[in-house]
Amino acid sequence: MGTNVMPSGEELLRFLPEMILAIFAVLVMLWESRHDEHGERPGMPAFALIGLGLAAAASIVAGAAPGYAFRNMLVVDSFATFFRLLLMGIGAMAVMTASPFLRARKAEGGEYYSLILLSLIGQSLMAASNELIMVFIGIEISSISSYVLAGYLKDDKRVNESALKYFLLGSFATGFLLYGVSWIYGLTGSTNLNEIASILGNADIAPDAVLTGAATALILAGLCFKVSAFPFQSWAPDVYQGAATPVGAFLSAAPKAAAFATLLRVFLTAFDPMADRWLPLLIVVALLTMVIGNLAALWQTDVKRILGYSSIANAGYVLVAVAAHSTLGISAVLFYLAAYSVMNFGAFAVVSLREETELKDFEGLAKRQPATAALMTVFMASLIGLPMTAGFFGKFYIFQSAIDAELYWLAGLGLLTSAVAAFYYLRVIAAMYMKPSPEGAPEMAVPAASQQAVMFVAAALTIGFGIFPGWLLDWATRSSGLLR
Amino acid sequence: MDLILFILFATIAVVCGISLVVQKHPIGSALSLIGVMGSLAVLYLLLGAEFIAAVQLIVYAGAIMVLFVFVIMLLNAGEEAPGGKSWPSRLLGVPLLTVFLGLLAYLMQLMAPSMGMVTFGSFNTGAKELGRSLFNNYLLPFEVTSVLVLIAILGAIVLARKEID
């Protein structure tokens, strides 16, 4: 065997962001162990942020020369680079929100930052994998660290329940996905996305359509769980409510964005030849996800739960753009995921300032903390999709792509459900501005500098993308061509 | 001879699999699982995948099952309490399972004529071929799995420590 085993420098460069994340995940732990166990342990968030910054820089450098790596295991194209940068941004927000949050609860440990970095490795691999085996390993890395993160504040009963629920349902869903992958391997003899596409696209050698359909459905079921789409959505509110708030913010943004990247890559590359079979299924899933997420959110009284159900509904909107099955649809997905990550993270960051997250605890917030209330209003307005916010253009592009694909009724129902959604987002705003402060409401501490930074940057981006969407849309459009 | 062995051990695997679910005592379930793992190892051996067979025995039937039994002993888990099933699961469980199995069998039967059949001993997956493939085509997944192991260790530390300080 004269084959060269060593990967070339170019291939290593395409894997550099993940390597940097792994190195910094270990460095954070080593740094922590240098300090006294019970004393102050400063510098860990800074380490994590430096790692994220370097990984983002490496993603840009690697993205400048698109191509395959490691025997076609990875594909680094503009699509993967978009997601890598988005994920690093989400990671940075998760680090900055969590650091004061955990310190206040005397629970700051290097493990938290390490787990965030390690889970980002998995998510960034999901966005860049060109092989079902890599997809599976990426999902496992992302999920298992998510389960641990969900159970991070383990003294709280609700945290434990949420982590256990997430773990049990999540491993079940991964089982579906893996079963589907094994069927695909049995049917096509390959796990490489391009090879699967060429086999399925060739009528002479394509395996039985019923069987490939079943395998595709299994993989879709696994991914639907990860993006919390109907009928695998019920875990989302419980997990986001139970987990520590910064963790909930991270879980509702990063693993979801990565799962959408995987969904797009796998279904628009490998299973594209049989698109007419899975598209109807996807349309139904998108429709029901929007309806169920939005209707169930109406009855919630906890702001974290409202955000949990809203994340289901938003997954439904993104699925509409996926179902449009066009380049325009992909760029709408990218735009919306970026906008959603920013506005949703901002809302979670506001919620993380408070111990109690019931709707009535937000009553009269505008009197006590006008700045925080104003920021929350910006995020809620963007989640509703009001003009001048990122959410407006996000929804606009999604429904435009659906109309272009002649999915008129899907776009119409999407608009209808987002009108329903306005009701529960407005309830939060109404509680802050229209209701008086309850008797004996506690004086709130001033948010820490890093939390303020996250909230203000998120609000600035939310409004910025709402007034000047062109820059983000250009980037999303440039990144919507999958390398196949 | 191969066929007789296959039918024998496939039957044992299925019976042990069912017994795993219906056993009331966790130790019974654990022992049934060892039966499943062991007979699967024989099936791998019949196909000619002796390395996988050995790994199956050492890792699953050996290491993992010992851990299972340890945990059961340490927790002193008793018999499963009966009841606690909701009426939809009582009513729909068995029929839905039958439908699912029937569908699966139908699909398999559909598949049978068009798909190539595996013959006994046709796999040539000794340790050498497996190693070569792991360090050539599958180098990246193989290496990245180490991250997964690191997360598992970290996760165990996070979830098992007494209190956060």
Side-chain angles (χ1 to χ4, degrees):
Chain A
M1 301 286 277
T3 49
N4 187 12
V5 178
M6 271 306 288
S8 70
E10 206 173 28
E11 288 182 299
L12 287 173
L13 176 66
R14 292 189 180 127
F15 188 57
L16 190 60
E18 285 83 3
M19 287 196 277
I20 292 176
L21 289 175
I23 289 169
F24 273 85
V26 176
L27 276 182
V28 168
M29 284 187 280
L30 290 177
W31 175 258
E32 186 192 19
S33 66
R34 285 185 62 245
H35 292 273
D36 178 44
E37 197 183 337
H38 299 288
E40 283 280 300
R41 285 165 294 179
M44 291 184 296
F47 252 110
L49 286 177
I50 293 171
L52 287 167
L54 288 176
S59 310
I60 295 174
V61 174
Y68 296 95
F70 294 95
R71 316 261 161 148
N72 294 336
M73 287 282 158
L74 283 190
V75 51
V76 175
D77 48 11
S78 50
F79 178 82
T81 308
F82 181 94
F83 273 101
R84 276 178 168 173
L85 291 174
L86 175 64
L87 289 166
M88 301 311 155
I90 296 171
M93 289 195 286
V95 167
M96 288 168 69
T97 332
S99 155
F101 182 90
L102 294 176
R103 212 168 284 161
R105 285 156 185 76
K106 293 201 186 316
E108 192 186 29
E111 297 89 354
Y112 176 84
Y113 303 108
S114 288
L115 280 169
I116 293 269
L117 295 183
L118 291 172
S119 107
L120 284 169
I121 294 179
Q123 285 138 17
S124 137
L125 281 175
M126 283 161 77
S129 51
N130 193 39
E131 167 96 14
L132 290 175
I133 292 178
M134 279 317 294
V135 166
F136 171 67
I137 294 182
I139 288 185
E140 278 297 87
I141 292 178
S142 154
S143 314
I144 291 184
S145 38
S146 305
Y147 307 148
V148 181
L149 280 172
Y152 190 77
L153 288 177
K154 65 185 210 78
D155 296 343
D156 191 334
K157 260 216 174 94
R158 256 198 340 223
V159 168
N160 289 337
E161 186 200 327
S162 111
L164 193 65
K165 203 175 248 174
Y166 196 20
F167 168 66
L168 289 176
L169 293 174
S171 0
F172 198 58
T174 315
F176 273 110
L177 183 103
L178 195 56
Y179 195 37
V181 170
S182 73
W183 272 48
I184 287 292
Y185 180 66
L187 290 164
T188 63
S190 173
T191 48
N192 182 287
L193 300 186
N194 309 110
E195 280 173 30
I196 294 171
S198 66
I199 291 170
L200 293 182
N202 186 339
D204 295 333
I205 50 172
D208 190 89
V210 179
L211 294 170
T212 36
T216 316
L218 284 169
I219 294 181
L220 186 64
L223 288 175
C224 276
F225 176 88
K226 300 294 170 195
V227 302
S228 75
F230 180 84
F232 308 101
Q233 85 289 13
S234 60
W235 59 274
D238 293 345
V239 171
Y240 301 156
Q241 185 192 16
T245 315
V247 174
F250 179 74
L251 294 184
S252 67
K256 241 178 194 182
F260 272 116
T262 308
L263 183 73
L264 283 172
R265 170 99 61 199
V266 171
F267 279 78
L268 296 183
T269 310
F271 300 141
D272 204 41
M274 41 185 302
D276 52 334
R277 285 185 167 267
W278 53 260
L279 270 179
L281 191 62
L282 204 63
I283 290 170
V284 174
V285 169
L287 178 70
L288 290 172
T289 309
M290 286 189 298
V291 170
I292 296 214
N294 279 320
L295 289 186
L298 292 177
W299 282 273
Q300 302 308 319
T301 55
D302 185 294
V303 178
K304 265 160 105 179
R305 271 190 98 73
I306 290 181
L307 288 174
Y309 279 104
S310 117
S311 87
I312 298 173
N314 280 292
Y317 301 139
V318 179
L319 283 173
V320 170
V322 177
H325 194 240
S326 62
T327 326
L328 190 65
I330 301 179
S331 59
V333 170
L334 299 187
F335 187 98
Y336 198 78
L337 284 177
Y340 174 72
S341 304
V342 169
M343 61 201 185
N344 188 50
F345 218 107
F348 265 107
V350 172
V351 176
S352 81
L353 300 177
R354 314 184 51 81
E355 199 65 46
E356 298 296 325
T357 56
E358 285 281 312
L359 203 52
K360 65 175 190 308
D361 299 304
F362 281 76
E363 283 173 5
L365 192 71
K367 291 253 165 45
R368 290 173 288 161
Q369 282 190 326
T372 311
L375 288 171
M376 188 67 167
T377 310
V378 170
F379 301 131
M380 288 297 137
S382 182
L383 283 166
I384 295 173
L386 293 184
M388 310 276 283
T389 60
F392 171 76
F393 280 105
K395 284 209 175 90
F396 177 76
Y397 294 133
I398 281 178
F399 295 131
Q400 193 190 20
S401 71
I403 289 168
D404 268 21
E406 299 182 344
L407 297 168
Y408 301 114
W409 52 275
L410 192 60
L413 271 164
L415 282 173
L416 207 67
T417 52
S418 44
V420 173
F423 175 74
Y424 57 82
Y425 294 126
L426 282 174
R427 272 177 74 196
V428 179
I429 298 180
M432 291 189 302
Y433 283 91
M434 323 277 258
K435 298 257 177 68
S437 276
E439 284 293 308
E443 278 296 310
M444 270 170 309
V446 181
S450 66
Q451 282 172 321
Q452 278 190 348
V454 169
M455 291 189 302
F456 278 104
V457 168
L461 287 175
T462 306
I463 296 176
F465 291 152
I467 300 176
F468 308 107
W471 172 78
L472 180 60
L473 186 68
D474 277 350
W475 186 26
T477 312
R478 266 192 320 239
S479 310
S480 60
L482 292 164
L483 198 63
R484 19 189 158 189
Chain B
M1 184 61 195
D2 280 343
L3 192 65
I4 298 170
L5 280 176
F6 172 79
I7 292 173
L8 180 66
F9 280 97
T11 320
I12 294 179
V14 172
V15 169
C16 286
I18 294 172
S19 137
L20 163 70
V21 181
V22 295
Q23 285 282 349
K24 285 265 186 279
H25 202 282
I27 284 284
S29 293
L31 290 176
S32 314
L33 190 54
I34 295 181
V36 177
M37 302 290 186
S39 34
L40 276 184
V42 177
L43 296 188
Y44 291 144
L45 209 55
L46 284 176
L47 289 171
E50 69 263 2
F51 183 75
I52 308 276
V55 168
Q56 170 84 10
L57 273 184
I58 296 169
V59 175
Y60 283 96
I64 293 183
M65 286 318 298
V66 169
L67 279 182
F68 263 41
V69 175
F70 256 129
V71 170
I72 293 170
M73 299 257 193
L74 284 177
L75 292 180
N76 203 10
E79 281 200 7
E80 185 189 359
K85 283 189 196 126
S86 59
W87 66 264
S89 70
R90 273 172 202 277
L91 203 65
L92 295 175
V94 176
L96 279 182
L97 188 68
T98 322
V99 168
F100 178 69
L101 287 179
L103 205 66
L104 218 58
Y106 172 71
L107 284 176
M108 295 284 177
Q109 204 218 336
L110 258 183
M111 183 167 12
S114 64
M115 301 299 291
M117 282 289 170
V118 173
T119 47
F120 292 112
S122 67
F123 280 75
N124 185 19
T125 50
K128 192 173 157 193
E129 286 77 15
L130 216 63
R132 184 160 279 153
S133 161
L134 268 186
F135 282 97
N136 267 311
N137 288 342
Y138 295 98
L139 178 67
L140 186 65
F142 179 66
E143 295 291 344
V144 166
T145 311
S146 60
V147 174
L148 203 53
V149 178
L150 181 62
I151 293 173
I153 298 171
L154 255 180
I157 294 172
V158 169
L159 297 178
R161 74 185 150 190
K162 269 248 153 43
E163 62 192 45
I164 299 165
D165 185 13

